[in-house]
């Protein structure tokens, strides 16, 4: 395996990064009292500011959507980068040289060498993209300019999307990049050039219109090249080959333009080509992306799930496949992948089979927006495609269609929708509902186990507030509250996320071991398996304490006394009930043991009540 960034370097990045400076590049922040800052959340639409930044603890939290964390997690969420990519970006900005652990004995390069190679390849692609873009204005690129103009893309549009031209020469780019200091091996590894029989370098792309393909962070990692001339015996589209940067099964063209709108709208539109992406974006559908020379697959799903925060059924994936046989086949394949999404999947088929680029050219921007607005559920399209192969006017045709369509209905992930689609299928087939429902049930196989009920919470609101306050002190003021907080185990906590958060603090050695700040909060969040507890940690890190001014020892004592009281009183009640049920003569030892525990708890309760004087 590759090495990992050293923990002390991660802590140093957190320490030297001002979260206010990082977030201010994306959000207008205003003072909110207590050293906090406030602004409109960049992760969801809102009219009143609920996005809070604690400069003292270097963390943020939005009370509107629940997003929260430190500067690293902010970069992860705003730019949709991985944890390591976010650290590397902040480290570069802060002038910190990261150190990586060596690779394991299984082979491979140390992580630092890999990171160095990656940066060289990215730089080569950036320089190549600039070179190709500069060539688009030359006399030899007339066919490329005409291609764009015929599709109603202006010069400004070409600049916006970085369109370029590979000149009619064998090694123009290679010579240009070699002059910039790149080695022949680097250009071959990057997929920008290949070795000729003579041993010299030749460019991979020649006499073609090019689109730079970027990753989520906006770095160019490859190119898509469109054939322009009849005497070009290559494929219509030619893409960068597999390289350390470019993995076609993971790449979505236009993702760097679309990512924030996808995350905000909870919708992604999957189209088939580069010009379709441009047409959608320019028509007011900014969430469009396209695969690059390969079918939409499971790795692409992973990319979109990451952007959509695909944890509920509110999101949408909209495919714009053609209505022909190939498009129908692609739609059915997409429905098979549908089960990997929590989001709902739809299909939008253009009139007369036109793709978004053709539709924009023929009928204008509004027609592209209407195409997406008229989407239909993918299951509806899939059922219509399957049943359309049969003669439904005959019994054999209806039964054949039922046998093929029932398993499709049985695959619908929302079980409550299955009976509704079974009824629709019955109507489409002209059959009674009961046999169709039976066929769907049989296709579903064994009955699915009942979903567990959510545990009913009997936690009172005042007690929940006290539990929150105790945890808040551990997160925000561990030096002050830590020794007292750690002395109380998880028993007094009644709300499950509070229990999970308390356990996470215990597993880190307790609050008394921490010095506070963003690193402490993120260590707790990283140690939380419970998603609700993880979100709660970010929230409590910025939520002001329920006291005037900064917390002191008296406030800590009051809070922790109030935390313990309900649990002590519950145990007192249990002991009294147990003592009443015992015969003191026949069960003398047990009676004395319970009485002794009761006496001690009564004493503890009196002390806690005295300590808890004051209000939260």
């Amino acid at each position: 395996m590759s090495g990992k960034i050293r923990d002390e370097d991660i802590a140093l990045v957190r320490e030297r990064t001002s979260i206010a400076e990082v977030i201010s590049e994306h959000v207008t922040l205003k003072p909110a009292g207590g050293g906090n800052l406030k602004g409109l959340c960049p992760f969801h639409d809102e009219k009143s500011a609920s996005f809070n930044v604690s400069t003292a603890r270097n963390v943020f939290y939005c009370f509107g959507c629940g997003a929260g964390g430190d500067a690293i997690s902010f970069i992860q969420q705003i730019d949709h980068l991985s944890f390591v990519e976010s650290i590397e970006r902040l480290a570069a900005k802060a002038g910190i040289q990261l150190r990586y652990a060596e690779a394991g004995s299984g082979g491979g390069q140390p992580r630092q060498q890999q990171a160095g190679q990656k940066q060289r390849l990215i730089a080569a692609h950036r320089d190549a993209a600039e070179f190709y873009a500069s060539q688009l204005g030359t006399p030899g690129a007339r066919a490329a300019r005409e291609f764009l103009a015929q599709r109603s893309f202006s010069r400004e549009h070409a600049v916006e999307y970085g369109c370029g031209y590979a000149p009619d020469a064998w090694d123009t780019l290679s010579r240009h990049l070699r002059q910039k200091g790149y080695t022949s091996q680097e250009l071959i590894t990057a997929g920008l050039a290949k070795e000729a029989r003579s041993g010299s370098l030749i460019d991979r792309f020649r006499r073609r219109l090019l689109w730079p393909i970027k990753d989520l962070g906006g770095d160019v990692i490859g190119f898509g090249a469109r054939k322009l001339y009849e005497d070009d015996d290559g494929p219509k589209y030619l893409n960068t080959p597999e390289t350390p940067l470019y993995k076609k099964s993971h790449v979505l063209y236009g993702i760097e333009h679309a990512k924030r709108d996808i995350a905000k709208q909870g919708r992604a539109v999957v189209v088939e080509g580069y010009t379709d992406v441009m047409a959608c974006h320019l028509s007011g559908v900014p969430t469009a992306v396209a695969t690059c020379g390969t079918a939409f697959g499971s790795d692409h799903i992973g990319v979109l799930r990451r952007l959509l925060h695909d944890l509920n059924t509110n999101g949408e994936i909209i495919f714009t496949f053609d209505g022909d046989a190939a498009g129908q086949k692609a739609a059915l394949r997409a429905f098979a992948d549908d089960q990997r999404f929590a989001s709902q999947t739809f299909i939008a088929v253009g009139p007369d089979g036109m793709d978004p680029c053709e539709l924009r050219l023929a009928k204008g921007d509004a027609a592209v927006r209407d195409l997406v607005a008229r989407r239909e559920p993918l299951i509806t399209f899939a059922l219509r495609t399957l049943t359309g192969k049969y003669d439904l006017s005959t019994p054999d045709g209806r039964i054949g269609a039922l046998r093929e369509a029932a398993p499709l209905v049985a695959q619908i992930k929302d079980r409550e929708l299955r009976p509704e689609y079974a009824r629709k299928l019955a109507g489409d087939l002209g059959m009674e509902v009961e046999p169709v429902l039976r066929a769907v049930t049989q296709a579903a196989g064994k009955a699915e186990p009942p979903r567990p009920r959510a545990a009913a919470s009997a936690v009172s609101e005042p007690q929940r507030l006290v539990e929150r306050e105790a945890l808040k002190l551990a997160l925000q003021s561990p030096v002050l509250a830590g020794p007292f907080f750690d002395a109380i185990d998880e028993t007094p906590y009644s709300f499950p996320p509070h229990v999970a958060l308390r356990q996470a603090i215990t597993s880190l050695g307790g609050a008394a071991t921490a010095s506070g700040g963003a690193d402490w909060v993120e260590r707790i969040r990283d140690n939380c398996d419970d998603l609700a507890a993880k979100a709660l940690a970010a929230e409590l890190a910025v939520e002001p304490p329920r006291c005037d001014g900064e917390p002191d020892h008296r406030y800590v004592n009051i809070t922790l006394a109030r935390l313990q009281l309900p649990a002590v009183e519950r145990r007192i009640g249990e002991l009294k009930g147990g003592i009443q049920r015992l015969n003191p003569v026949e069960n003398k030892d047990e009676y004395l043991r319970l009485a002794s525990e009761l006496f001690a708890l009564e004493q503890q309760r009196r002390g806690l009540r005295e300590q808890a004087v004051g209000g939260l």
Side-chain angles (χ1 to χ4, degrees):
M1 290 179 60
S2 300
K4 61 186 288 287
I5 301 173
R6 294 188 180 182
D7 291 342
E8 55 266 37
D9 288 356
I10 296 174
L12 185 62
V13 169
R14 286 191 172 118
E15 179 186 329
R16 291 196 185 171
T17 299
S18 165
I19 196 167
E21 289 181 9
V22 171
I23 293 178
S24 291
E25 294 178 5
H26 305 273
V27 180
T28 300
L29 296 173
K30 297 180 180 179
N36 285 3
L37 302 170
K38 210 168 188 178
L40 293 175
C41 181
F43 303 117
H44 79 289
D45 292 324
E46 62 176 6
K47 294 182 180 178
S48 57
S50 57
F51 184 85
N52 288 256
V53 177
S54 170
T55 54
R57 284 171 287 280
N58 244 9
V59 293
F60 74 93
Y61 184 77
C62 175
F63 290 93
C65 69
D70 63 355
I72 297 171
S73 55
F74 180 82
I75 292 296
Q76 279 185 268
Q77 294 175 64
I78 198 73
D79 286 326
H80 305 284
L81 300 178
S82 69
F83 180 72
V84 170
E85 290 167 339
S86 301
I87 293 172
E88 290 174 340
R89 177 174 291 187
L90 291 173
K93 192 171 182 179
I96 297 171
Q97 180 66 49
L98 296 174
R99 295 167 297 170
Y100 299 83
E102 291 295 314
S105 58
Q109 294 176 305
R111 177 69 173 83
Q112 194 156 4
Q113 291 179 11
Q114 292 180 348
Q117 182 197 51
K118 177 182 177 182
Q119 293 309 312
R120 289 285 294 172
L121 299 184
I122 286 174
H125 276 85
R126 181 178 61 247
D127 289 339
E130 290 176 358
F131 172 80
Y132 286 138
S134 71
Q135 295 296 306
L136 188 61
T138 62
R142 179 179 176 181
R145 295 193 298 273
E146 288 178 350
F147 178 94
L148 292 170
Q150 288 165 4
R151 287 154 183 79
S152 196
F153 297 128
S154 67
R155 181 178 179 181
E156 289 72 24
H157 297 153
V159 171
E160 181 180 355
Y161 287 86
C163 297
Y165 179 71
D168 184 8
W170 290 106
D171 63 350
T172 310
L173 176 70
S174 297
R175 285 188 285 105
H176 174 76
L177 294 179
R178 287 297 307 276
Q179 289 171 2
K180 283 183 165 287
Y182 299 101
T183 67
S184 296
Q185 189 54 55
E186 284 175 331
L187 301 186
I188 293 171
T189 301
L192 295 169
K194 50 190 177 181
E195 198 169 22
R197 291 179 183 177
S198 63
S200 60
L201 287 187
I202 58 174
D203 298 343
R204 176 169 180 81
F205 305 112
R206 177 171 167 263
R207 303 170 70 211
R208 286 181 174 246
L209 171 63
L210 285 95
W211 287 266
I213 299 170
K214 299 182 180 181
D215 62 13
L216 278 166
D219 290 322
V220 179
I221 57 172
F223 294 92
R226 208 308 183 162
K227 176 178 176 179
L228 295 171
Y229 305 99
E230 288 299 325
D231 61 350
D232 184 338
D233 58 0
K236 183 176 179 180
Y237 281 96
L238 181 65
N239 286 54
T240 293
E242 294 282 307
T243 72
L245 296 182
Y246 185 87
K247 308 294 182 186
K248 65 182 180 182
S249 63
H250 294 71
V251 173
L252 288 167
Y253 174 72
I255 197 72
E256 79 287 355
H257 285 282
K259 62 183 181 181
R260 290 183 185 170
D261 286 294
I262 290 174
K264 275 196 171 185
Q265 295 183 25
R267 169 189 290 180
V269 178
V270 181
V271 299
E272 293 192 323
Y274 307 115
T275 57
D276 293 329
V277 169
M278 292 175 67
C280 282
H281 290 186
L282 298 172
S283 298
V285 182
T287 58
V289 293
T291 58
C292 299
T294 186
F296 186 83
S298 59
D299 291 325
H300 298 122
I301 289 172
V303 174
L304 291 183
R305 285 190 60 134
R306 182 173 162 188
L307 293 174
L308 288 164
H309 307 293
D310 191 49
L311 300 174
N312 55 53
T313 57
N314 295 325
E316 292 185 1
I317 308 294
I318 302 170
F319 297 97
T320 59
F321 299 121
D322 291 339
D324 59 15
Q328 292 177 0
K329 185 177 180 181
L332 292 175
R333 186 171 58 242
F335 179 75
D337 287 331
D338 171 72
Q339 309 312 307
R340 305 189 190 195
F341 285 110
S343 302
Q344 299 297 300
T345 49
F346 297 82
I347 188 166
V349 179
D352 301 321
M354 285 190 287
D355 60 35
C357 183
E358 294 167 337
L359 189 58
R360 175 175 178 262
L361 193 60
K363 301 187 177 182
D365 292 351
V368 178
R369 295 194 297 271
D370 289 343
L371 169 67
V372 175
R374 293 196 313 269
R375 66 201 179 280
E376 67 173 326
L378 189 55
I379 177 61
T380 302
F381 179 85
L383 287 174
R384 188 169 67 249
T385 299
L386 286 181
T387 57
K389 298 187 301 183
Y390 294 87
D391 182 359
L392 301 183
S393 66
T394 68
D396 288 347
R398 289 192 292 273
I399 293 300
L402 175 61
R403 286 174 178 163
E404 190 167 0
L408 215 61
V409 177
Q411 290 177 41
I412 297 173
K413 57 182 171 284
D414 187 340
R415 291 175 296 180
E416 294 177 358
L417 285 177
R418 292 176 193 168
E420 293 302 316
Y421 275 100
R423 293 185 183 93
K424 183 183 185 308
L425 177 59
D428 293 342
L429 297 177
M431 299 178 67
E432 296 294 327
V433 173
E434 286 306 316
V436 175
L437 283 170
R438 280 197 304 270
V440 170
T441 302
Q442 289 170 359
K446 294 180 180 179
E448 297 176 66
R451 282 173 285 187
R453 290 183 179 179
S457 174
V459 189
S460 68
E461 187 61 22
Q463 177 61 16
R464 185 177 298 197
L465 288 175
V466 171
E467 291 178 19
R468 285 176 65 93
E469 203 66 12
L471 291 165
K472 192 188 304 178
L473 290 169
L475 266 74
Q476 296 187 11
S477 307
V479 175
L480 171 69
F484 308 98
F485 176 89
D486 293 343
I488 304 166
D489 65 15
E490 66 195 54
T491 304
Y493 297 89
S494 305
F495 188 45
H498 294 171
V499 176
L501 192 52
R502 179 65 185 90
Q503 290 171 340
I505 294 172
T506 300
S507 67
L508 289 171
T513 65
S515 58
D519 186 57
W520 168 235
V521 175
E522 285 307 301
R523 285 173 59 208
I524 294 172
R525 281 167 53 81
D526 291 343
N527 227 36
C528 285
D529 294 327
D530 184 285
L531 291 177
K534 189 185 290 283
L536 181 65
E539 181 178 347
L540 295 181
V542 301
E543 185 177 275
R546 297 170 62 83
C547 63
D548 295 329
E550 289 295 315
D552 55 16
H553 281 98
R554 178 175 178 275
Y555 185 72
V556 171
N557 288 334
I558 290 173
T559 301
L560 297 180
R562 292 195 162 199
L563 172 70
Q564 297 173 83
L565 260 175
V568 170
E569 289 175 338
R570 280 196 303 272
R571 181 58 182 159
I572 287 173
E574 292 169 359
L575 288 171
K576 286 182 176 179
I579 289 172
Q580 288 175 355
R581 290 190 294 273
L582 284 176
N583 184 318
V585 177
E586 295 177 359
N587 305 94
K588 181 179 178 181
D589 290 343
E590 179 67 5
Y591 183 90
L592 290 175
R593 186 187 69 79
L594 295 181
S596 175
E597 184 181 350
L598 177 62
F599 177 77
L601 284 175
E602 292 280 14
Q603 291 286 98
Q604 184 183 4
R605 179 169 64 177
R606 280 194 290 273
L608 289 173
R609 282 177 172 173
E610 291 175 3
Q611 193 175 326
V613 172
L616 290 182

